[in-house]
Amino acid sequence: MNLTGLMATLKEFATMDVDALFAAKQQVVGLDIGSRAIKLVQIKELKGKYILQKFGIKQLEPEVIVDGTVMDAGRVIDAIKELIQEQGVKVKNVALSVSGHAVIVKKINLPQTPDDQMEAKVKEAAEQYIPFDINEVNLDWFVLNPEEKTEDGQAQMGVLLVAAKKDKVNELTEIARGAGLIPKVLDVDAFAIENMYSINYETKPEELTALVNVGASVMNVNIIKGNVSVFTRDIAVGGHRYAEALQRDLGVTAEEAEAAQQGKLKEGLDATTVKGIVDGINAEVASEIARTVDYFKSVGTDAGDVTKIVLCGGCAKVAGLVAQLTERMGVPVEVANPFNQVDIAQSGLDQAVLADVAPQVAVGVGLAIRMIGDR
C-alpha cells in the first residue's frame, strides 16, 4: 500500500468546502507556506506523466513567519496574491501542508474494527497518544495493515494516526481564502516529500531510505521502506540556525548570511571563518539526523539500516552539509531533484535557474500532484 499523500483531507477540514472529501478527482495547486518563502507549484498529470505548468517562489522577510507561526497574515496573503498574478494561475483549488509542533503522526495498533466504527475507535485511541486536548485537533488515519497479529496471535490492525491542531489548520485556511483560493487538501510536509520522491525515483521493496527536508525552522524526517512510510519525526532545527550564527558572528545582514551559507561570500568575508561557522551548524543538523535514525532503529517494528539519505528543502544545498552527513552516517547522501521525472520543457522556465532552486520546492511538488478526492 502506498502511503504517499496520507492526509487526503482532514475530517473537519473537508467540511469547509462542499464535496472536498467525496469529489471526483480534480487538479489542485500546491502551496507550501514556509517560514522564509512561499512556493507555488502547478503540475498536470497526463497518461501517467507529470508536466510542470506553473512555478514560483516569493521570499518572506524573517519577521513575517517566526518558527512556523504567522506573525503577519496580511503580508503572507499579499505574497500569495503576487505569486498567483505573476504566474498567471487560474486554478483556485489548493493543497496545503502542516508540520512541526502543530501535527503529530503516530503508528498505533487497534483491534479489528468495522469501517463504520473506525472514527469512534480512532478518537478513543487518540486520547491516549495525543498530548493536546482531543477537541483542539483534527484527526485523520490510514490503515497500514488490516491483518497484523499481536505477540499472542490475536488479530489487530496497524493504523497510522495523524492529528493536526485546529488553530493551525484554521490559520492556513484563512490565509488561502484571503488570497482568493479554495483550500481542498491538507497534507503533512513529511508525506508530501514522500509523494514527491515516489514519482521521481525508483524504490526497492526492502530498502530503507531517509527523506530529510531541511526547512527554515523545522526539519522533517520520513523513513520509508520501499515506498511506504515507516517512521516520521519533525525536529525544531532548521536553516535559521545558519543565518543566526552567521549574522551574530560576522555582523552581516540576513541576505548576506543566506548567500554565505550557500558559499557565496560578499567581499571582505573570510572564507575560512565562514566555513567554520557553517560546518558547526552542519554538525548539529547531521547529529539530529543521526539521532533520529538511531531512535528509529531502537523502536521501529521495521527497524534496520538506512541505506540512503535524500536531502531537500531550502538548506539541502548548504555548503558542506552533504559531505559531513555522508561521513557521519556512512551511507550515500544526495540532494533531491523534485523535477527528476517531471517534464519542465513546457513551463518556459530557465532550466539552470529551476535546477538551482529545485530542492526548495519538494513539498510544493508533493502537494501539486495531489488530486481532490484521492487518498
Side-chain angles (χ1 to χ4, degrees), residues 110-121:
L110 296 177
Q112 294 286 317
T113 305
D115 290 345
D116 61 355
Q117 298 177 27
M118 276 295 293
E119 184 166 357
K121 182 64 69 174

Side-chain angles (χ1 to χ4, degrees), residues 360-372:
Q360 298 181 44
V361 296
V363 170
V365 170
L367 294 175
I369 61 177
R370 299 297 308 280
M371 292 284 181
I372 300 171

Side-chain angles (χ1 to χ4, degrees), residues 62-364:
E63 69 274 10
V64 176
I65 300 179
V66 179
D67 292 333
T69 300
V70 177
M71 310 303 291
D72 191 335
R75 289 163 76 180
V76 176
I77 290 171
D78 288 343
I80 296 171
K81 287 181 176 179
E82 289 173 12
L83 267 178
I84 292 170
Q85 183 176 11
E86 290 170 2
Q87 303 306 320
V89 175
K90 303 301 182 184
V91 175
K92 296 296 184 182
N93 297 328
V94 66
L96 306 163
S97 62
V98 292
S99 67
H101 66 273
V103 62
I104 291 175
V105 179
K106 188 172 183 64
K107 182 181 181 294
I108 62 174
N109 293 316
L110 296 177
Q112 294 286 317
T113 305
D115 290 345
D116 61 355
Q117 298 177 27
M118 276 295 293
E119 184 166 357
K121 182 64 69 174
V122 168
K123 185 173 182 180
E124 178 185 341
E127 293 179 338
Q128 304 175 41
Y129 298 103
I130 306 302
F132 311 125
D133 184 333
I134 200 68
N135 296 312
E136 296 179 355
V137 299
N138 292 325
L139 293 175
D140 202 2
W141 67 88
F142 191 92
V143 178
L144 296 171
N145 186 349
E147 298 180 352
E148 283 193 1
K149 299 288 185 182
T150 63
E151 291 183 359
D152 60 359
Q154 297 296 313
Q156 64 179 1
M157 304 170 65
V159 177
L160 199 62
L161 173 68
V162 184
K165 297 189 73 172
K166 288 182 179 179
D167 57 356
K168 184 63 176 180
V169 174
N170 292 337
E171 178 183 79
L172 288 173
T173 300
E174 291 306 310
I175 286 173
R177 290 187 183 281
L181 299 171
I182 304 171
K184 287 288 189 179
V185 174
L186 182 66
D187 212 330
V188 176
D189 282 4
F191 295 128
I193 294 297
E194 182 184 344
N195 216 19
M196 173 280 299
Y197 187 76
S198 71
I199 70 164
N200 283 292
Y201 296 90
E202 293 184 3
T203 58
K204 298 177 182 178
E206 298 302 314
E207 184 179 61
L208 287 167
T209 301
L211 309 178
V212 181
N213 178 46
V214 189
S217 59
V218 175
M219 180 163 59
N220 319 114
V221 180
N222 184 359
I223 298 177
I224 60 173
K225 186 174 185 179
N227 60 0
V228 176
S229 175
V230 293
F231 180 85
T232 66
R233 184 187 181 198
D234 286 351
I235 307 164
V237 172
H240 67 281
R241 295 284 184 94
Y242 294 96
E244 289 170 359
L246 289 164
Q247 287 181 265
R248 181 187 64 244
D249 295 349
L250 301 177
V252 296
T253 66
E255 292 74 18
E256 290 166 344
E258 291 278 353
Q261 70 190 50
Q262 302 291 339
K264 304 169 185 176
L265 308 184
K266 79 164 189 174
E267 187 176 350
L269 288 182
D270 179 68
T272 302
T273 302
V274 171
K275 184 178 183 302
I277 296 169
V278 171
D279 281 348
I281 307 301
N282 282 343
E284 290 184 32
V285 172
S287 293
E288 289 291 348
I289 295 171
R291 278 195 286 267
T292 298
V293 171
D294 287 343
Y295 179 72
F296 159 73
K297 291 173 67 174
S298 70
V299 302
T301 56
D302 292 279
D305 292 325
V306 168
T307 58
K308 181 171 64 174
I309 296 174
V310 179
L311 290 178
C312 54
C315 297
K317 296 176 72 174
V318 167
L321 179 56
V322 168
Q324 188 162 158
L325 188 56
T326 300
E327 182 178 355
R328 174 66 183 265
M329 299 300 296
V331 299
V333 179
E334 64 178 284
V335 176
N337 176 10
F339 303 115
N340 191 46
Q341 294 296 321
V342 176
D343 182 357
I344 63 175
Q346 299 182 38
S347 67
L349 297 167
D350 183 283
Q351 295 192 18
V353 172
L354 195 60
D356 187 51
V357 301
Q360 298 181 44
V361 296
V363 170

